[in-house]
Amino acid sequence: MTSVESSTPSYSYQPSPSSLPTTRVRTITLGDDEVETSLILQLFSDRIFISVTQLSGKVGSLLSCNVEESIVDNSTTYHVKTLLGTGSARSSGGERTISIREVFVRRLAESITKHTRKMAGLGENTIIGGAEDGTGPIPPLLVGFGLKPTCSDLSVESFNSLVNAAMDLYLEGWKICHAGALVGMEGPD
């Protein structure tokens, strides 16, 4: 052993549990072929990340959704954009695949926004308004979406099942994340 090796200190870093995101994982089957689909949720302090994949844990395309509310005209705007991926790789219905992803992200953002309003004790269509820093009623939503090419033509039933499973996973994570804040409080239910 050389003198350099013996004098090099060894460090071990452990993050504080409170600094780690709330993480939930679920596997469902979709369609008549019963294709396994993995859903992963991570709730960060400033972002919501959900991965929906049939590609052995690969993210596929990465989409972002920011929600804005205007108290001026009582409207809610959903800005969905693709950050990575085109949606048309190895698929003849590329435009349909892209729109399915965007509609999925929008439906999920709408559901999360409605939940946020409900937890704030407001009606589903009541505008919360944005914070002074420009953020909307929910943190930015990042969605990794990777379905096999054979599943890019989802039936309405399979699409709704996928949205519902993702929302159920979000609600499960939200309850864990907010468990301490809800002790002794009654919800709007």
Side-chain angles (χ1 to χ4, degrees), residues 3 5 18 34 43 47 52 54 58 64 82 108 111 120 130 133 137 139 142 146-147 150-151 154 174 187:
S3 63
E5 290 177 12
S18 64
E34 295 190 3
L43 295 175
R47 299 264 186 278
V52 177
Q54 297 171 339
K58 296 177 184 168
S64 168
T82 302
L108 192 56
S111 297
D133 63 359
L142 295 174
L147 298 185
T150 56
C151 289
L154 287 175
W174 186 91

Side-chain angles (χ1 to χ4, degrees), residues 113-114 116-128:
T113 301
K114 285 180 182 179
T116 301
R117 290 174 180 154
K118 181 180 176 183
M119 291 297 104
L122 303 171
E124 277 188 4
N125 297 317
T126 304
I127 299 298
I128 296 174

Side-chain angles (χ1 to χ4, degrees), residues 48-105:
I48 300 168
F49 174 74
I50 296 179
S51 174
V52 177
T53 185
Q54 297 171 339
L55 306 174
S56 302
K58 296 177 184 168
V59 173
S61 293
L62 186 63
L63 294 98
S64 168
C65 182
N66 292 314
V67 181
E68 287 182 16
E69 291 184 328
S70 172
I71 56 173
V72 174
D73 63 356
N74 203 33
S75 66
T76 305
T77 306
Y78 299 87
H79 300 280
V80 179
K81 64 181 175 180
T82 302
L83 301 175
L84 294 172
T86 61
S88 60
R90 289 180 256 135
S91 173
S92 59
E95 285 299 316
R96 181 175 169 99
T97 304
I98 291 170
S99 63
I100 285 174
R101 291 174 182 167
E102 290 176 352
V103 171
F104 174 81
V105 172

Side-chain angles (χ1 to χ4, degrees), residues 22 43 115 169-182:
T22 300
L43 295 175
H115 174 261
L169 194 63
Y170 170 78
L171 293 174
E172 184 180 315
W174 186 91
K175 287 177 185 173
I176 292 169
C177 193
H178 293 84
L182 299 177

Side-chain angles (χ1 to χ4, degrees), residues 1 11 24 42 52 76 89 104 128 148 156 160 168 172:
M1 183 181 329
Y11 296 104
R24 307 303 301 157
Q42 290 191 304
V52 177
T76 305
F104 174 81
I128 296 174
K148 291 182 177 179
V156 172
N160 288 334
D168 289 346
E172 184 180 315

